[in-house]
Short mmCIF file of all heavy atoms in Angstrom, two decimals:
data_model
loop_
_atom_site.label_atom_id
_atom_site.label_comp_id
_atom_site.label_asym_id
_atom_site.label_seq_id
_atom_site.Cartn_x
_atom_site.Cartn_y
_atom_site.Cartn_z
N PRO A 1 -28.63 -10.40 -2.68
CA PRO A 1 -27.46 -10.19 -3.54
C PRO A 1 -26.15 -10.18 -2.75
O PRO A 1 -25.13 -10.67 -3.19
CB PRO A 1 -27.75 -8.80 -4.18
CG PRO A 1 -29.22 -8.69 -4.17
CD PRO A 1 -29.65 -9.36 -2.90
N GLU A 2 -26.22 -9.61 -1.51
CA GLU A 2 -25.01 -9.57 -0.67
C GLU A 2 -24.61 -10.99 -0.27
O GLU A 2 -23.43 -11.31 -0.21
CB GLU A 2 -25.26 -8.72 0.58
CG GLU A 2 -25.42 -7.22 0.28
CD GLU A 2 -24.26 -6.66 -0.42
OE1 GLU A 2 -23.10 -6.83 0.00
OE2 GLU A 2 -24.44 -6.02 -1.48
N ALA A 3 -25.58 -11.82 0.00
CA ALA A 3 -25.28 -13.22 0.36
C ALA A 3 -24.57 -13.94 -0.77
O ALA A 3 -23.57 -14.66 -0.53
CB ALA A 3 -26.58 -14.00 0.76
N PHE A 4 -25.03 -13.80 -1.95
CA PHE A 4 -24.41 -14.45 -3.07
C PHE A 4 -23.02 -13.84 -3.42
O PHE A 4 -22.11 -14.57 -3.84
CB PHE A 4 -25.30 -14.39 -4.34
CG PHE A 4 -26.34 -15.45 -4.33
CD1 PHE A 4 -27.68 -15.22 -3.94
CD2 PHE A 4 -26.06 -16.79 -4.72
CE1 PHE A 4 -28.63 -16.22 -3.94
CE2 PHE A 4 -27.02 -17.75 -4.77
CZ PHE A 4 -28.31 -17.53 -4.32
N ARG A 5 -22.89 -12.56 -3.23
CA ARG A 5 -21.61 -11.92 -3.43
C ARG A 5 -20.54 -12.45 -2.47
O ARG A 5 -19.42 -12.77 -2.84
CB ARG A 5 -21.76 -10.41 -3.29
CG ARG A 5 -20.47 -9.61 -3.58
CD ARG A 5 -20.66 -8.12 -3.51
NE ARG A 5 -20.97 -7.70 -2.13
CZ ARG A 5 -20.07 -7.48 -1.17
NH1 ARG A 5 -18.78 -7.67 -1.42
NH2 ARG A 5 -20.43 -7.08 0.05
N ILE A 6 -20.91 -12.57 -1.19
CA ILE A 6 -20.00 -13.08 -0.17
C ILE A 6 -19.75 -14.55 -0.44
O ILE A 6 -18.60 -15.02 -0.29
CB ILE A 6 -20.58 -12.84 1.23
CG1 ILE A 6 -20.72 -11.37 1.54
CG2 ILE A 6 -19.67 -13.46 2.25
CD1 ILE A 6 -19.45 -10.58 1.50
N ALA A 7 -20.77 -15.29 -0.84
CA ALA A 7 -20.58 -16.74 -1.10
C ALA A 7 -19.57 -16.94 -2.24
O ALA A 7 -18.72 -17.81 -2.18
CB ALA A 7 -21.93 -17.37 -1.47
N ALA A 8 -19.65 -16.07 -3.26
CA ALA A 8 -18.69 -16.14 -4.38
C ALA A 8 -17.30 -15.95 -3.92
O ALA A 8 -16.34 -16.68 -4.27
CB ALA A 8 -19.05 -15.12 -5.44
N GLN A 9 -17.10 -14.96 -3.04
CA GLN A 9 -15.76 -14.70 -2.49
C GLN A 9 -15.27 -15.89 -1.61
O GLN A 9 -14.07 -16.24 -1.71
CB GLN A 9 -15.78 -13.41 -1.64
CG GLN A 9 -16.03 -12.14 -2.43
CD GLN A 9 -16.05 -10.89 -1.58
OE1 GLN A 9 -15.92 -10.99 -0.35
NE2 GLN A 9 -16.26 -9.73 -2.18
N ALA A 10 -16.15 -16.46 -0.87
CA ALA A 10 -15.78 -17.57 0.00
C ALA A 10 -15.37 -18.81 -0.83
O ALA A 10 -14.40 -19.49 -0.55
CB ALA A 10 -16.92 -17.92 0.92
N GLN A 11 -16.14 -19.08 -1.90
CA GLN A 11 -15.85 -20.21 -2.76
C GLN A 11 -14.51 -20.07 -3.49
O GLN A 11 -13.88 -21.02 -3.84
CB GLN A 11 -16.98 -20.44 -3.75
CG GLN A 11 -18.24 -21.01 -3.12
CD GLN A 11 -19.34 -21.27 -4.13
OE1 GLN A 11 -19.32 -20.79 -5.24
NE2 GLN A 11 -20.32 -22.09 -3.70
N LYS A 12 -14.10 -18.78 -3.70
CA LYS A 12 -12.84 -18.51 -4.38
C LYS A 12 -11.66 -18.34 -3.38
O LYS A 12 -10.53 -18.02 -3.79
CB LYS A 12 -12.99 -17.26 -5.29
CG LYS A 12 -13.98 -17.44 -6.38
CD LYS A 12 -14.17 -16.11 -7.09
CE LYS A 12 -15.26 -16.24 -8.19
NZ LYS A 12 -15.59 -14.93 -8.84
N GLY A 13 -11.97 -18.49 -2.09
CA GLY A 13 -10.90 -18.39 -1.06
C GLY A 13 -10.46 -16.92 -0.86
O GLY A 13 -9.28 -16.73 -0.44
N LYS A 14 -11.30 -15.96 -1.10
CA LYS A 14 -10.87 -14.58 -1.00
C LYS A 14 -11.39 -13.89 0.33
O LYS A 14 -11.33 -12.68 0.42
CB LYS A 14 -11.46 -13.77 -2.18
CG LYS A 14 -10.82 -14.19 -3.53
CD LYS A 14 -11.33 -13.34 -4.66
CE LYS A 14 -10.68 -13.72 -5.97
NZ LYS A 14 -11.21 -12.89 -7.09
N LEU A 15 -11.93 -14.67 1.25
CA LEU A 15 -12.35 -14.11 2.52
C LEU A 15 -11.35 -14.30 3.61
O LEU A 15 -10.77 -15.36 3.69
CB LEU A 15 -13.70 -14.74 2.93
CG LEU A 15 -15.01 -14.31 2.26
CD1 LEU A 15 -16.18 -15.00 2.87
CD2 LEU A 15 -15.17 -12.77 2.37
N ASP A 16 -11.17 -13.31 4.43
CA ASP A 16 -10.28 -13.45 5.60
C ASP A 16 -11.04 -13.56 6.92
O ASP A 16 -10.52 -13.31 7.98
CB ASP A 16 -9.32 -12.26 5.66
CG ASP A 16 -10.09 -10.92 5.77
OD1 ASP A 16 -11.34 -10.92 5.74
OD2 ASP A 16 -9.40 -9.88 5.86
N MET A 17 -12.32 -13.92 6.81
CA MET A 17 -13.16 -14.13 8.01
C MET A 17 -14.21 -15.17 7.65
O MET A 17 -14.44 -15.48 6.48
CB MET A 17 -13.86 -12.77 8.41
CG MET A 17 -14.77 -12.25 7.36
SD MET A 17 -15.54 -10.67 7.84
CE MET A 17 -14.12 -9.55 7.64
N PRO A 18 -14.94 -15.73 8.67
CA PRO A 18 -16.05 -16.65 8.36
C PRO A 18 -17.09 -15.98 7.47
O PRO A 18 -17.36 -14.79 7.63
CB PRO A 18 -16.60 -16.98 9.74
CG PRO A 18 -15.49 -16.70 10.69
CD PRO A 18 -14.78 -15.57 10.10
N PRO A 19 -17.66 -16.72 6.51
CA PRO A 19 -18.63 -16.11 5.62
C PRO A 19 -19.85 -15.49 6.29
O PRO A 19 -20.35 -14.49 5.87
CB PRO A 19 -19.03 -17.25 4.68
CG PRO A 19 -18.60 -18.48 5.39
CD PRO A 19 -17.42 -18.12 6.20
N GLU A 20 -20.26 -16.14 7.44
CA GLU A 20 -21.44 -15.56 8.12
C GLU A 20 -21.14 -14.15 8.67
O GLU A 20 -22.02 -13.31 8.60
CB GLU A 20 -21.82 -16.49 9.33
CG GLU A 20 -22.36 -17.84 8.87
CD GLU A 20 -21.27 -18.85 8.72
OE1 GLU A 20 -20.06 -18.49 8.73
OE2 GLU A 20 -21.58 -20.05 8.52
N ARG A 21 -19.91 -13.97 9.21
CA ARG A 21 -19.56 -12.62 9.68
C ARG A 21 -19.50 -11.64 8.51
O ARG A 21 -19.94 -10.50 8.65
CB ARG A 21 -18.24 -12.71 10.41
CG ARG A 21 -17.68 -11.33 10.85
CD ARG A 21 -16.50 -11.41 11.78
NE ARG A 21 -15.84 -10.13 11.93
CZ ARG A 21 -16.32 -9.15 12.68
NH1 ARG A 21 -17.44 -9.31 13.38
NH2 ARG A 21 -15.68 -8.00 12.79
N ALA A 22 -18.90 -12.03 7.44
CA ALA A 22 -18.80 -11.17 6.28
C ALA A 22 -20.21 -10.78 5.77
O ALA A 22 -20.43 -9.62 5.38
CB ALA A 22 -18.05 -11.85 5.13
N VAL A 23 -21.14 -11.71 5.82
CA VAL A 23 -22.51 -11.41 5.42
C VAL A 23 -23.14 -10.41 6.37
O VAL A 23 -23.79 -9.45 5.91
CB VAL A 23 -23.34 -12.72 5.33
CG1 VAL A 23 -24.85 -12.38 5.24
CG2 VAL A 23 -22.96 -13.52 4.18
N ARG A 24 -22.94 -10.56 7.62
CA ARG A 24 -23.51 -9.62 8.62
C ARG A 24 -22.99 -8.23 8.42
O ARG A 24 -23.76 -7.25 8.40
CB ARG A 24 -23.20 -10.10 10.03
CG ARG A 24 -24.12 -11.24 10.47
CD ARG A 24 -23.59 -11.94 11.70
NE ARG A 24 -22.84 -11.11 12.67
CZ ARG A 24 -22.20 -11.63 13.66
NH1 ARG A 24 -22.20 -12.90 13.92
NH2 ARG A 24 -21.48 -10.80 14.48
N LEU A 25 -21.71 -8.09 8.12
CA LEU A 25 -21.13 -6.79 7.87
C LEU A 25 -21.69 -6.19 6.56
O LEU A 25 -21.95 -4.98 6.53
CB LEU A 25 -19.61 -6.88 7.83
CG LEU A 25 -18.89 -7.25 9.16
CD1 LEU A 25 -17.36 -7.46 8.90
CD2 LEU A 25 -19.15 -6.22 10.19
N ALA A 26 -21.81 -7.05 5.56
CA ALA A 26 -22.36 -6.56 4.31
C ALA A 26 -23.82 -6.14 4.47
O ALA A 26 -24.24 -5.07 3.92
CB ALA A 26 -22.30 -7.64 3.28
N CYS A 27 -24.61 -6.85 5.27
CA CYS A 27 -26.01 -6.50 5.50
C CYS A 27 -26.10 -5.18 6.24
O CYS A 27 -26.93 -4.31 5.94
CB CYS A 27 -26.75 -7.60 6.27
SG CYS A 27 -27.02 -9.09 5.33
N ARG A 28 -25.23 -5.01 7.22
CA ARG A 28 -25.19 -3.73 7.98
C ARG A 28 -24.98 -2.56 6.99
O ARG A 28 -25.69 -1.51 7.09
CB ARG A 28 -24.10 -3.76 8.99
CG ARG A 28 -23.91 -2.48 9.81
CD ARG A 28 -22.50 -2.41 10.38
NE ARG A 28 -21.42 -2.38 9.36
CZ ARG A 28 -20.13 -2.49 9.60
NH1 ARG A 28 -19.66 -2.66 10.82
NH2 ARG A 28 -19.25 -2.42 8.62
N ASP A 29 -24.04 -2.68 6.09
CA ASP A 29 -23.74 -1.65 5.14
C ASP A 29 -24.87 -1.40 4.19
O ASP A 29 -25.19 -0.25 3.86
CB ASP A 29 -22.44 -1.98 4.38
CG ASP A 29 -21.25 -1.96 5.26
OD1 ASP A 29 -21.30 -1.36 6.37
OD2 ASP A 29 -20.21 -2.58 4.86
N VAL A 30 -25.49 -2.46 3.71
CA VAL A 30 -26.62 -2.27 2.77
C VAL A 30 -27.83 -1.67 3.45
O VAL A 30 -28.58 -0.93 2.81
CB VAL A 30 -26.92 -3.59 1.99
CG1 VAL A 30 -27.78 -4.49 2.82
CG2 VAL A 30 -27.62 -3.30 0.66
N PHE A 31 -28.08 -2.00 4.69
CA PHE A 31 -29.22 -1.40 5.43
C PHE A 31 -28.98 0.09 5.50
O PHE A 31 -29.93 0.89 5.35
CB PHE A 31 -29.28 -2.00 6.81
CG PHE A 31 -29.74 -3.44 6.88
CD1 PHE A 31 -29.40 -4.23 7.95
CD2 PHE A 31 -30.51 -3.98 5.86
CE1 PHE A 31 -29.78 -5.58 8.03
CE2 PHE A 31 -30.88 -5.33 5.90
CZ PHE A 31 -30.55 -6.09 6.97
N ARG A 32 -27.75 0.49 5.77
CA ARG A 32 -27.44 1.93 5.88
C ARG A 32 -27.54 2.62 4.53
O ARG A 32 -28.16 3.68 4.43
CB ARG A 32 -26.03 2.13 6.47
CG ARG A 32 -25.68 3.61 6.71
CD ARG A 32 -24.27 3.75 7.18
NE ARG A 32 -24.05 3.12 8.48
CZ ARG A 32 -23.17 2.13 8.68
NH1 ARG A 32 -22.43 1.66 7.69
NH2 ARG A 32 -23.07 1.61 9.85
N SER A 33 -26.89 2.03 3.52
CA SER A 33 -26.86 2.74 2.22
C SER A 33 -28.21 2.82 1.50
O SER A 33 -28.49 3.72 0.78
CB SER A 33 -25.88 2.03 1.29
OG SER A 33 -26.28 0.70 1.04
N SER A 34 -29.05 1.83 1.76
CA SER A 34 -30.38 1.76 1.16
C SER A 34 -31.43 2.53 1.91
O SER A 34 -32.55 2.76 1.45
CB SER A 34 -30.88 0.35 1.01
OG SER A 34 -31.06 -0.29 2.26
N GLY A 35 -31.13 2.93 3.17
CA GLY A 35 -32.08 3.62 3.97
C GLY A 35 -33.29 2.77 4.29
O GLY A 35 -34.43 3.27 4.41
N LEU A 36 -33.02 1.50 4.48
CA LEU A 36 -34.13 0.49 4.63
C LEU A 36 -35.02 0.80 5.84
O LEU A 36 -36.26 0.71 5.75
CB LEU A 36 -33.61 -0.94 4.72
CG LEU A 36 -34.69 -2.04 4.80
CD1 LEU A 36 -35.56 -2.02 3.62
CD2 LEU A 36 -33.96 -3.40 4.92
N LEU A 37 -34.47 1.20 6.96
CA LEU A 37 -35.26 1.48 8.17
C LEU A 37 -36.31 2.56 7.94
O LEU A 37 -37.35 2.51 8.52
CB LEU A 37 -34.33 1.83 9.33
CG LEU A 37 -33.80 0.70 10.15
CD1 LEU A 37 -32.73 1.23 11.13
CD2 LEU A 37 -34.89 -0.05 10.90
N SER A 38 -35.97 3.53 7.13
CA SER A 38 -36.92 4.61 6.88
C SER A 38 -38.09 4.15 5.98
O SER A 38 -39.08 4.92 5.89
CB SER A 38 -36.20 5.82 6.25
OG SER A 38 -35.71 5.50 4.97
N ARG A 39 -37.92 3.01 5.40
CA ARG A 39 -38.98 2.56 4.45
C ARG A 39 -39.84 1.43 4.98
O ARG A 39 -40.98 1.22 4.44
CB ARG A 39 -38.35 2.08 3.11
CG ARG A 39 -37.61 3.20 2.34
CD ARG A 39 -37.14 2.65 0.99
NE ARG A 39 -35.89 1.87 1.18
CZ ARG A 39 -35.61 0.85 0.38
NH1 ARG A 39 -36.42 0.52 -0.61
NH2 ARG A 39 -34.50 0.16 0.52
N ILE A 40 -39.43 0.72 5.99
CA ILE A 40 -40.17 -0.43 6.42
C ILE A 40 -41.52 -0.11 6.98
O ILE A 40 -42.55 -0.65 6.61
CB ILE A 40 -39.33 -1.29 7.41
CG1 ILE A 40 -38.11 -1.91 6.71
CG2 ILE A 40 -40.18 -2.43 8.00
CD1 ILE A 40 -37.25 -2.74 7.62
N ILE A 41 -41.57 0.82 7.98
CA ILE A 41 -42.81 1.13 8.64
C ILE A 41 -43.84 1.72 7.67
O ILE A 41 -45.00 1.29 7.60
CB ILE A 41 -42.63 2.02 9.84
CG1 ILE A 41 -41.89 1.22 10.96
CG2 ILE A 41 -43.99 2.53 10.41
CD1 ILE A 41 -41.58 2.01 12.21
N PRO A 42 -43.45 2.74 6.81
CA PRO A 42 -44.42 3.17 5.78
C PRO A 42 -44.87 2.04 4.83
O PRO A 42 -46.04 2.01 4.43
CB PRO A 42 -43.66 4.25 5.01
CG PRO A 42 -42.66 4.72 6.02
CD PRO A 42 -42.25 3.56 6.80
N GLY A 43 -43.95 1.12 4.58
CA GLY A 43 -44.31 -0.02 3.70
C GLY A 43 -45.38 -0.95 4.38
O GLY A 43 -46.29 -1.44 3.71
N ILE A 44 -45.28 -1.11 5.67
CA ILE A 44 -46.20 -1.89 6.41
C ILE A 44 -47.60 -1.27 6.28
O ILE A 44 -48.60 -1.89 6.02
CB ILE A 44 -45.85 -2.07 7.90
CG1 ILE A 44 -44.56 -2.84 8.01
CG2 ILE A 44 -46.96 -2.70 8.71
CD1 ILE A 44 -43.95 -2.92 9.48
N GLU A 45 -47.66 0.01 6.57
CA GLU A 45 -48.93 0.76 6.50
C GLU A 45 -49.54 0.69 5.11
O GLU A 45 -50.74 0.53 4.95
CB GLU A 45 -48.68 2.21 6.89
CG GLU A 45 -48.14 2.44 8.29
CD GLU A 45 -49.18 2.15 9.37
OE1 GLU A 45 -50.36 2.27 9.12
OE2 GLU A 45 -48.70 1.80 10.54
#
């Protein structure tokens, strides 16, 4: 979802940075807000 959200902004000319960098920053934020790291290892098990 973050990739498509950033792609929409890029296609509308609303980004002030390369889309790849914007995606990386968005992924960093969603990893933190979702608590993904705390769920991956229990999910593997």
Side-chain angles (χ1 to χ4, degrees):
E2 293 302 309
F4 277 100
R5 183 178 65 82
I6 298 299
Q9 293 179 359
Q11 288 182 343
K12 297 172 183 176
K14 294 183 178 180
L15 282 183
D16 57 358
M17 64 180 73
E20 293 88 351
R21 174 171 169 74
V23 166
R24 281 165 31 188
L25 294 175
C27 289
R28 177 201 64 188
D29 293 340
V30 79
F31 291 154
R32 182 185 298 119
S33 63
S34 65
L36 183 58
L37 272 173
S38 66
R39 294 186 284 149
I40 293 181
I41 292 179
I44 295 173
E45 300 288 334

